[in-house]
Amino acid sequence: MVKRNNTGKVIFDTNIPGMIFSEQYNQISTRLASPYLYGFGEHTTAEYKHDINWKKLSFFARDITIDHDSNLYGVHPFYMNVEEDGNVHGVFLLNSNAMEVILQPSPALTFRTIGGILDFYIFLGPSPEDVVKQYLEVIGLPVMPPYWALGFQISRWGYSTVEDIKAVMDRTIKANVPYDVQYLDIDYMDNFKDFTYDYDHYRNLPSFIDEIHDKGRKVIIILDPAIASNKTLKSNYPALDVGINRDIFVKINDTYIEGKLWAGKSYFPDFSHPQVRPYWTQMCAEFRKAVRFDGLWLDMNEPSNFVDGSLNGCGKNSLNYPPYSAGVLGSKRDGKIFEKTICMDSIHYAGKHYDIHNLYGYFQTNVTFRTLAIIMPGTRPMVLSRSTFPGSGRFTSHFLGDNLSTWEQLQASIPGILKFNLFGIPFVGADICGFAGNATEELCMRWMQIGAFYPFSRNHNSIDSKDQDPASFGKEFVEIVNRALYTRYELLPYLYTLFHFAHTEGSTVARPLLHEFPYDQETWDISYQFLWGPALLISPILEEGASTVKAYFPSGIWYDFYKGEIAKEGSGLFMTLMDEGYINLHVRGGYILPLQKPNVTTSLSRKQAMGLFIAPDESGTAKGHLFWDDGYSYETQEHKTYLQLELKYEKNGKNSILFSNILISNYPDASKVNFEYAIFCNHHQPSKIFLNNEELDQKLWKYNNQLA
């Protein structure tokens, strides 16, 4: 039993009958402090708060579309529980085996694992942000993304030729849609083989990538974990030959296990093997000589397999057919747990696949991150992974997987993003407008509006779906979408600063209202509004045909971001917000948001004038921070080669003062960071402005005073 000293509240109590320890089945239960339970993943849930009425959650990395109520791509056995008095605690079970959690209305929950040990970590908070920070002290702090990766990104599976991609890029540029990254899915490959490109349909790929770079944009390419084992190329296949020479593939009975993926018969690299890092680095470096990619997208890395187990099947043993299958998808038919993946008795350097299946994506992201750091020296690696495990956030960003173009999946994306911020992977987003199916114009418009405020913002869809990049729709659609995207780009200095604090302190980027207002019980059930950091409230319209949204405003002053006017003050209340052609954004009183005039790419935006959105609280004060570096160099925080400003606004009678204190000023181009405009909500411009106690000339500033 674990009890909180200052309140006497029991937060972890295993004095419940039914504790079992055996070779392939461990079970332990605990009472919960309240039914307000959050976390656990990866699953699709309609709400952020879990339904604890005898719900079962399976944890086993699996390739499956996210409309299934089952185990998905990653495994995160971590939960957060709100106590009745508003204190919060978290619990993490460090175990890589398949498991199942049963949520019970008493309230209680039961852990069942098919192996490993019961290694629990308990985090006492007492605030939600404290819990996340304490959890990340164990699993590792999130990676700092390059600035360009915060821009809007376009992708699809189904670009038949380079000309197809060029057509999308040209119409996007013509429509003045802000756009920073173009993706290449498996279409670019020669017979879907990693580290190759199709010389017929993608003959001009190297020069086209140069053209993309010349326009100030970046390219991310996909890599699948399986290496084709059948040589159908006209020449040799180094990825296979070198892999065999280094002996880095997963084995079974002293031979390489052979499955099937897009390239046909395939071997699976063992990313836990000490030789796999030089192998992966060699392959990526050689391929990048021709295809100058800027980041890598790791897909199918659960690992996925188009046959169950292997082309030769799997042995009839207790690893492939365990006595308890933890409820994983596909196991109920015949008890096997290797459906759509490799045999559980296959061998990695780190152990049996049975024990480390859920770590496969983690190992691959680790190796890939370090590979990019080697082959692109001095540049911040950008890795996007489908499969994740606790600690993956140190190396990778994440997309929520193969979603559908439905209103239900649009709504479910927000709880998914909030959960991954709990899991230490704040650079996360869903495929905007949906991956599979055809999004209607209304659905895609609403999705683009909220997708502009995903931390990771990418529009991606399937080969069987119609075009859904913004410029493929009409002029009115583009105008509405551009309002959202340009607003995102204007807010990027604030978002980038939030990622700095996530990377250095472990705070969340997209966070539920609960995290800032844990003592306001109305926030405990809110799933479809969220905050960027502590200050920016995002209230999207997520229902078909709707022109209003019912939004909750916790206690305090809240300002309309677009008008600078007070939208609400006083105690917490629900308000009906109208659709005025843009997504509803409100700034919390007491905060200063750094801004920058937006442009069509982040590189152009970074040359624009910077500004401040100053939203005073009831006492007339506000505070904020700006983190700024070159946006791409590796480990600028670690080497302190950045600029950090502490901002503060104070009102004293009829006078007011804006303070700007430089905490760190090791960014070489700090002199080019020019603040030229400010929005003062409900207050006149300041009487004086100070930079490190030196008064500045106010004639250099442009003001927009918004008085209620």
Side-chain angles (χ1 to χ4, degrees):
M1 179 185 295
V2 178
K3 184 184 295 186
R4 193 182 291 277
N5 284 336
N6 61 339
T7 65
K9 184 66 178 179
V10 175
I11 60 176
F12 196 74
D13 180 7
T14 60
N15 292 318
I16 300 175
M19 185 180 296
I20 300 172
F21 296 95
S22 63
E23 182 67 22
Q24 289 186 269
Y25 183 84
N26 300 316
Q27 176 176 295
I28 191 170
S29 299
T30 179
R31 292 183 176 90
L32 294 170
S34 81
Y36 289 91
L37 182 74
Y38 310 88
F40 283 139
E42 183 175 8
H43 311 90
T44 301
T45 57
E47 307 287 338
Y48 179 55
K49 178 175 73 71
H50 278 290
D51 177 0
I52 63 168
N53 189 28
W54 297 107
K55 293 293 182 180
K56 293 184 178 181
L57 301 173
S58 293
F59 298 77
F60 192 70
R62 165 77 188 215
D63 173 10
I64 190 71
T65 55
I66 70 171
D67 62 320
H68 289 258
D69 183 19
S70 64
N71 48 293
L72 294 179
Y73 314 100
V75 168
H76 296 274
F78 167 78
Y79 72 80
M80 189 176 75
N81 192 202
V82 179
E83 300 156 36
E84 294 172 353
D85 59 4
N87 286 329
V88 179
H89 66 270
V91 176
F92 169 45
L93 172 56
L94 178 54
N95 184 299
S96 62
N97 287 94
M99 71 175 72
E100 186 174 46
V101 172
I102 297 89
L103 309 180
Q104 301 148 54
S106 43
L109 59 82
T110 298
F111 290 94
R112 296 172 176 170
T113 79
I114 67 169
I117 60 175
L118 299 179
D119 187 7
F120 285 100
Y121 294 76
I122 299 174
F123 309 102
L124 298 180
S127 76
E129 285 295 293
D130 290 336
V131 168
V132 176
K133 290 177 181 179
Q134 292 157 9
Y135 176 44
L136 268 56
E137 286 182 17
V138 174
I139 66 170
L141 294 165
V143 65
M144 183 69 183
Y147 198 87
W148 57 263
L150 301 185
F152 177 58
Q153 310 182 19
I154 293 178
S155 175
R156 80 163 299 161
W157 171 30
Y159 294 130
S160 299
T161 64
V162 164
E163 286 68 29
D164 288 348
I165 306 175
K166 182 171 172 50
V168 172
M169 183 176 73
D170 289 346
R171 70 186 180 217
T172 302
I173 293 172
K174 184 177 180 181
N176 289 316
V177 176
Y179 156 54
D180 266 270
V181 184
Q182 178 62 56
Y183 280 74
L184 301 179
D185 208 321
I186 57 175
D187 316 285
Y188 79 87
M189 299 177 181
D190 183 359
N191 292 307
F192 305 123
K193 289 178 167 60
D194 280 352
F195 309 113
T196 68
Y197 70 93
D198 184 342
Y199 288 96
D200 294 327
H201 301 95
Y202 279 77
R203 177 176 298 276
N204 299 324
L205 181 60
S207 60
F208 178 60
I209 290 179
D210 290 340
E211 180 183 345
I212 294 175
H213 288 155
D214 289 343
K215 295 181 184 296
R217 295 176 172 87
K218 304 294 185 180
V219 174
I220 294 177
I221 66 169
I222 196 170
L223 288 177
D224 289 332
I227 300 298
S229 56
N230 56 329
K231 292 185 179 181
T232 58
L233 293 175
K234 297 175 183 177
S235 59
N236 66 341
Y237 183 34
L240 176 62
D241 300 335
V242 176
I244 292 173
N245 184 54
R246 288 186 178 270
D247 196 25
I248 53 85
F249 297 115
V250 179
K251 295 180 179 179
I252 191 165
N253 298 325
D254 293 324
T255 61
Y256 299 138
I257 190 168
E258 192 170 33
K260 186 177 182 181
L261 219 59
W262 295 110
K265 295 179 180 180
S266 301
Y267 295 149
F268 297 84
D270 172 7
F271 287 99
S272 72
H273 197 287
Q275 284 295 314
V276 83
R277 188 177 297 174
Y279 162 78
W280 201 244
T281 300
Q282 179 182 346
M283 293 302 102
C284 290
E286 289 296 324
F287 189 53
R288 194 171 183 272
K289 290 178 181 178
V291 178
R292 302 286 294 178
F293 57 82
D294 302 286
L296 291 174
W297 166 22
L298 308 177
D299 200 26
M300 313 294 283
N301 58 341
E302 291 71 35
S304 180
N305 189 358
F306 289 168
V307 297
D308 295 345
S310 79
L311 291 171
N312 297 317
C314 297
K316 285 279 187 177
N317 56 52
S318 64
L319 297 182
N320 294 315
Y321 298 86
Y324 173 68
S325 60
V328 303
L329 185 64
S331 66
K332 294 181 180 179
R333 288 188 289 274
D334 52 15
K336 69 184 180 186
I337 61 171
F338 54 83
E339 184 176 284
K340 285 202 76 175
T341 190
I342 62 177
C343 301
M344 295 295 113
D345 57 349
S346 56
I347 303 295
H348 301 247
Y349 182 85
K352 294 277 182 69
H353 194 76
Y354 180 87
D355 295 311
I356 63 172
H357 168 82
N358 293 327
L359 288 165
Y360 192 88
Y362 172 88
F363 286 135
Q364 189 191 20
T365 56
N366 185 333
V367 169
T368 303
F369 180 88
R370 299 180 193 283
T371 288
L372 291 179
I374 292 170
I375 69 172
M376 302 168 65
T379 301
R380 206 171 298 165
M382 172 59 195
V383 181
L384 175 66
S385 177
R386 190 168 75 174
S387 186
T388 58
F389 189 78
S392 290
R394 295 164 57 201
F395 315 112
T396 189
S397 56
H398 176 62
F399 67 108
L400 295 181
D402 293 347
N403 57 4
L404 306 182
S405 297
T406 66
W407 291 92
E408 292 78 12
Q409 299 265 296
L410 165 61
Q411 294 158 12
S413 70
I414 296 178
I417 286 167
L418 296 179
K419 282 190 284 186
F420 269 90
N421 273 263
L422 284 185
F423 301 153
I425 308 178
F427 197 27
V428 59
D431 286 347
I432 296 172
C433 299
F435 172 74
N438 292 319
T440 64
E441 184 167 334
E442 181 190 9
L443 172 61
C444 197
M445 182 269 290
R446 293 298 185 204
W447 213 322
M448 281 296 308
Q449 284 184 316
I450 186 58
F453 294 91
Y454 291 161
F456 170 71
S457 182
R458 181 183 75 156
N459 182 311
H460 175 59
N461 67 329
S462 168
I463 192 170
D464 299 320
S465 305
K466 66 180 183 181
D467 289 345
Q468 62 184 36
D469 58 280
S472 66
F473 292 93
K475 181 180 179 182
E476 183 179 355
F477 180 95
V478 170
E479 288 176 354
I480 293 172
V481 166
N482 273 359
R483 285 180 207 142
L485 288 174
Y486 278 108
T487 302
R488 175 190 179 87
Y489 275 58
E490 184 174 17
L491 283 160
L492 284 186
Y494 175 60
L495 180 62
Y496 195 55
T497 301
L498 294 178
F499 272 107
H500 162 70
F501 287 118
H503 177 64
T504 56
E505 299 179 2
S507 56
T508 59
V509 173
R511 65 185 64 161
L513 276 69
L514 160 66
H515 278 226
E516 290 297 315
F517 305 93
Y519 300 109
D520 181 348
Q521 293 194 21
E522 290 288 0
T523 68
W524 297 4
D525 283 302
I526 291 176
S527 297
Y528 303 128
Q529 287 176 276
F530 64 97
L531 294 154
W532 270 10
L536 183 69
L537 178 63
I538 301 156
S539 306
I541 294 175
L542 303 172
E543 295 181 353
E544 186 175 11
S547 59
T548 62
V549 60
K550 186 179 180 182
Y552 184 68
F553 290 84
S555 178
I557 297 179
W558 294 88
Y559 298 90
D560 185 304
F561 175 76
Y562 305 98
K563 301 174 183 176
E565 300 171 351
I566 293 178
K568 174 266 170 192
E569 59 184 323
S571 58
L573 57 84
F574 285 93
M575 296 175 61
T576 298
L577 305 177
M578 301 296 294
D579 177 10
E580 298 187 40
Y582 45 77
I583 188 170
N584 285 288
L585 301 177
H586 294 85
V587 180
R588 182 181 176 186
Y591 288 89
I592 299 174
L593 275 57
L595 308 173
Q596 189 165 44
K597 291 293 185 182
N599 210 313
V600 293
T601 65
T602 55
S603 59
L604 291 174
S605 293
R606 285 177 60 91
K607 298 176 182 178
Q608 301 273 77
M610 301 192 77
L612 300 173
F613 189 100
I614 300 172
D617 60 15
E618 295 91 334
S619 66
T621 63
K623 61 183 179 180
H625 285 87
L626 170 70
F627 169 83
W628 203 248
D629 62 3
D630 62 17
Y632 62 85
S633 292
Y634 189 43
E635 295 184 336
T636 56
Q637 284 98 331
E638 290 75 6
H639 300 305
K640 296 190 180 300
T641 52
Y642 59 86
L643 171 69
Q644 185 172 353
L645 295 179
E646 181 183 53
L647 304 160
K648 190 173 183 180
Y649 175 80
E650 292 181 347
K651 185 179 180 183
N652 185 7
K654 294 183 179 180
N655 297 318
S656 57
I657 303 175
L658 176 63
F659 297 95
S660 176
N661 295 318
I662 298 176
L663 302 182
I664 296 176
S665 183
N666 295 326
Y667 173 46
D669 290 330
S671 61
K672 297 179 181 179
V673 180
N674 296 317
F675 287 89
E676 298 181 7
Y677 70 102
I679 300 168
F680 287 85
C681 299
N682 203 39
H683 287 255
H684 290 288
Q685 67 191 54
S687 307
K688 296 181 179 180
I689 299 177
F690 287 93
L691 175 62
N692 283 7
N693 297 318
E694 181 179 341
E695 188 172 356
L696 301 181
D697 183 358
Q698 295 208 47
K699 294 179 181 179
L700 301 176
W701 287 69
K702 298 177 182 178
Y703 295 107
N704 181 1
N705 299 317
Q706 298 292 347
L707 300 178

